[in-house]
Amino acid sequence: MKIAFVGKGGSGKTTLSSLFIRHLATTGAPVVAFDADINQHLGAALGLDDAEAAALPAMGEHLPLIKDYLRGTNVRIVSAETMIKTTPPGEGSRLLRVREDNPVYDACARPVELDGGTVRLMVTGPFTEADLGVACYHSKTGAVELCLNHLVDGPDEYVVVDMTAGSDSFASGMFTRFDITFLVAEPTRKGVSVYRQYKEYARDFGVTLKVVGNKVQGPDDLDFLRTEVGEDLLVTVGHSDWVRAMEKGRPPRFGLLEEPNRHALRLLRSAADATYASRDRERYTRQMAHFHLKNARSWGDERTGADLSAQIDPGFVLGEDVTVSA
Ligand SMILES: Nc1ncnc2c1ncn2[C@@H]1O[C@H](COP(=O)(O)OP(=O)(O)OP(=O)(O)O)[C@@H](O)[C@H]1O
Ligand SMILES: [Mg+2]
């Protein structure tokens, strides 16, 4: 399963991603977690101290390695330099699997030990002021998109991405790379307006979008979300003293997380699990091509001096049964 947490700044994306990842870890499920948000806080939310979080390798700095590895022997991709964030896999490409070891994980992933299990964490790298100019910002989240497009995951394997709900994910197609997208919304007009915007983009692409209400304090908040979001509201989470203690750097055992919040996490998981069965691999692959063509035409062809549409392998479908050529 590929799962995204999106939402307005400060809504609780990182907090809920990290709780969900901890929940998965306690059940022994294999997890690859990506921090693709502008504010890189997932490492800290998973319990890393400042020095450990700062020492995480940035995916954006390993793009040449990532591209070179994923390209494999795919003859449609003539060089790593012509590979852009939307370049889709095809015959000869190397794919990533949740449980394996590979050079991309060696370079970019670090194990994080949690109560009950260890997960892999990959981060885009911190965004600086300069990154807010378009190019670098794209190349950082682009590394995540490339990996997602080359990642095959089984039903009991989880890929969890903490990301912004910003327009970058819409331009690139990143928002279509998930089995389910959890939009974290506080019971406020702003929180709900981000949901509406996301829903609007998502509609034409068959994106499964569910709202997770956060910092919900009582019937008024719940009523507001129910009215504004309707049946897309999956579950709500209240203020958590466990989270607050974690923020202070004193996380109690995860087993001590409040029962209503544990219940909410179980619901998130069943909602995610339920999407796997109805996965449409052909549509998933088709959308890769769609966004690749869009990016090729709008900037990629010009930037690389190549006709990037030729990178699309019409006979390829990303799925667990794809055999990886060495
Ligand atoms: N359910 C909760 N109970 C207690 N505190 C919470 C809860 N959800 C979020 N918080 C707190 O609210 C703040 C913002 O949460 P968080 O960092 O997860 O939001 P975010 O959406 O990832 O923000 P950003 O856009 O900055 O990345 C944090 O201090 C977090 O600890
Ligand atoms: Mg965050």
Side-chain angles (χ1 to χ4, degrees), residues 30-317:
V31 180
V32 179
F34 286 91
D35 190 347
D37 194 359
I38 291 189
N39 302 305
Q40 298 258 292
H41 295 312
L42 187 58
L46 291 173
L48 301 187
D49 64 30
D50 290 349
E52 290 167 327
L56 292 169
M59 293 177 76
E61 282 165 24
H62 294 283
L63 260 178
L65 178 148
I66 295 172
K67 289 179 178 177
D68 219 46
Y69 180 75
L70 297 178
R71 185 166 71 96
T73 58
N74 185 335
V75 293
R76 289 183 169 82
I77 307 166
V78 296
S79 67
E81 291 71 43
T82 59
M83 208 166 167
I84 63 170
K85 60 186 174 174
T86 51
T87 294
E91 195 188 334
S93 293
R94 290 202 187 93
L95 302 175
L96 303 172
R97 282 155 208 281
V98 171
R99 284 179 230 229
E100 69 181 0
D101 290 317
N102 61 49
V104 172
Y105 292 156
D106 287 346
C108 305
R110 291 296 173 260
V112 177
E113 283 184 37
L114 301 169
D115 287 354
T118 302
V119 301
R120 276 192 168 112
L121 173 63
M122 298 169 83
V123 308
T124 55
F127 293 81
T128 61
E129 286 277 299
D131 290 336
L132 295 172
V134 187
C136 298
Y137 174 73
H138 280 230
S139 72
K140 284 182 179 170
T141 54
V144 179
E145 186 163 4
L146 260 181
C147 288
L148 290 174
N149 275 343
H150 287 76
L151 218 162
V152 278
D153 50 299
D156 301 314
E157 299 171 339
Y158 296 84
V159 178
V160 180
V161 184
D162 176 12
M163 66 181 212
T164 35
S167 53
D168 185 65
S169 67
F170 298 130
S172 68
M174 180 101 128
F175 74 105
T176 65
R177 303 298 80 202
F178 303 99
D179 293 288
I180 192 163
T181 301
F182 294 128
L183 188 136
V184 182
E186 290 176 70
T188 62
R189 276 159 63 194
K190 272 196 188 146
V192 165
S193 82
V194 170
Y195 155 71
R196 292 222 177 81
Q197 187 204 21
Y198 214 94
K199 177 112 178 144
E200 181 80 23
Y201 273 103
R203 187 181 302 136
D204 298 336
F205 293 91
V207 169
T208 302
L209 183 67
K210 290 288 169 197
V211 174
V212 181
N214 191 24
K215 308 180 194 175
V216 171
Q217 294 174 343
D220 229 46
D221 283 355
L222 186 59
D223 183 56
F224 175 82
L225 282 174
R226 278 199 181 127
T227 309
E228 298 291 323
V229 172
E231 61 185 25
D232 284 344
L233 182 65
L234 179 65
V235 69
T236 62
V237 174
H239 171 87
S240 163
D241 288 333
W242 190 95
V243 167
R244 185 52 70 85
M246 190 211 24
E247 286 268 299
K248 291 177 185 142
R250 301 173 190 163
R253 277 191 307 111
F254 186 63
L256 295 175
L257 179 72
E258 301 86 357
E259 173 48 32
N261 294 335
R262 293 221 306 271
H263 176 69
L265 296 173
R266 288 194 292 271
L267 272 177
L268 294 188
R269 181 176 189 168
S270 7
D273 288 348
T275 59
Y276 192 86
S278 56
R279 225 181 210 197
D280 185 342
R281 290 170 181 77
E282 292 186 1
R283 183 181 74 197
Y284 194 83
T285 309
R286 231 175 20 248
Q287 289 176 342
M288 281 186 211
H290 169 86
F291 284 101
H292 182 55
L293 286 176
K294 199 171 152 185
N295 279 268
R297 289 183 193 127
S298 71
W299 61 273
D301 285 354
E302 200 186 320
R303 180 89 55 87
T304 60
D307 171 14
L308 298 183
S309 67
Q311 293 178 335
I312 297 169
D313 179 347
F316 182 88
V317 176

Side-chain angles (χ1 to χ4, degrees), residues 17-29:
S17 306
S18 71
L19 293 178
F20 187 59
I21 291 164
R22 286 174 190 270
H23 168 68
L24 293 172
T26 58
T27 68

